[in-house]
Amino acid sequence: QSALTQPRSVSGSPGQSVTISCTGTSSDVGGYDYVSWHQQHPGKAPKPLIYDVSKRPSGVPDRFSGSKSGNTASLTISGLQAEDEADYYCCSYAGSYEVFGGGTKLTVL
Amino acid sequence: QLQLQESGPGLVKPSETLSLTCTVSGGAISSSGHSWGWIRQPPGKGLEWIGSMYNSGSTYYDPSLKSRVTISIDMSKNQFSLKLTSVTAADTAVYYCARMAHTRPDYWGQGTLVTVSS
């Protein structure tokens, strides 16, 4: 079961917007509206940011948004802040199990 | 606030069984609508889903690990556990326990490093 494909790294300046893609197949991302995104700072546990493609848990700023088109899901972070520098992982339901993306390192320049 | 805490040996010998427990506080593990799962992260690498279990007894495992994994729940102790047999160095990772809200982790433990080495 292959991991979902994410870019290894993305970068942006404070105040800018960045988008992280997560590409799967019709058996996972494309087949279900059950994509979640998780933020992980170094040495810390992941923190949920987005679930069911575009919903935000309570307490997550609306600067974080999610979407999906076909077999590719996307996480957009607007108004970049220094504290957004972290690793980001997508996760998709795949019918009887979950599959994660390989992770994307976001650098805030 | 729901909290999860992993516990277990930090060092396991090759070919032996890795055993971890997750203690849940701030909520009942018997709550409906959720499963209880395990996710791991090898050093310097990404997250890997291991599996999860509902209170009903239904279990869901990653196909590549299915033959070696067992997840169980002890509702009397508000705990759930992971057993991974025949471990190798490739199983060295930080192991996270998590509550699964249907199809996604919504609460994570802080993680515990397990090293497989003789």
Side-chain angles (χ1 to χ4, degrees), chain A:
Chain A
Q1 286 61 32
S2 300
L4 306 176
T5 300
Q6 297 181 233
R8 295 285 296 265
S9 64
V10 297
S11 62
S13 299
Q16 290 186 332
S17 294
V18 295
T19 296
I20 299 171
S21 62
C22 169
T23 300
T25 69
S26 58
S27 296
D28 38 63
V29 175
Y32 308 93
D33 287 334
Y34 295 135
V35 176
S36 61
W37 290 89
H38 305 264
Q39 177 192 59
Q40 186 180 37
H41 287 104
K44 301 293 187 182
K47 170 191 172 185
L49 287 180
I50 296 288
Y51 68 97
D52 293 354
V53 175
S54 60
K55 298 176 182 176
R56 281 188 308 277
S58 174
V60 174
D62 60 6
R63 303 188 296 105
F64 295 90
S65 61
S67 62
K68 192 188 84 167
S69 177
N71 296 336
T72 298
S74 299
L75 172 71
T76 297
I77 309 170
S78 58
L80 268 179
Q81 300 180 2
E83 58 262 35
D84 297 333
E85 184 160 297
D87 294 326
Y88 292 82
Y89 293 90
C90 61
C91 177
S92 175
Y93 181 63
S96 60
Y97 59 95
E98 307 288 323
V99 59
F100 282 95
T104 298
K105 181 176 179 57
L106 169 62
T107 301
V108 180
L109 302 171

Side-chain angles (χ1 to χ4, degrees), chain B residues 76-87:
Chain B
S76 68
K77 295 182 178 179
N78 228 35
Q79 295 176 334
F80 62 104
S81 299
L82 168 71
K83 289 191 186 300
L84 180 65
T85 62
S86 305
V87 297

Side-chain angles (χ1 to χ4, degrees), chain A residues 1 34-36 38 40 43-48 50-52 57 87 89 91-93 95-103, chain B residues 39-41 44-50 52 59-64 96 100-111:
Chain A
Q1 286 61 32
Y34 295 135
V35 176
S36 61
H38 305 264
Q40 186 180 37
K44 301 293 187 182
K47 170 191 172 185
I50 296 288
Y51 68 97
D52 293 354
D87 294 326
Y89 293 90
C91 177
S92 175
Y93 181 63
S96 60
Y97 59 95
E98 307 288 323
V99 59
F100 282 95
Chain B
I39 296 156
R40 70 181 183 179
Q41 186 171 33
K45 297 187 177 180
L47 300 168
E48 300 175 355
W49 189 77
I50 298 171
S52 65
T59 53
Y60 301 89
Y61 298 133
D62 182 274
S64 67
Y96 294 98
M100 302 291 293
H102 181 37
T103 62
R104 43 127 183 164
D106 65 345
Y107 285 92
W108 295 73
Q110 66 182 32

Side-chain angles (χ1 to χ4, degrees), chain B residues 14-36:
Chain B
S15 79
E16 295 190 344
T17 296
L18 179 159
S19 296
L20 294 174
T21 297
C22 182
T23 300
V24 179
S25 59
I29 202 168
S30 57
S31 64
S32 60
H34 299 102
S35 64
W36 303 90

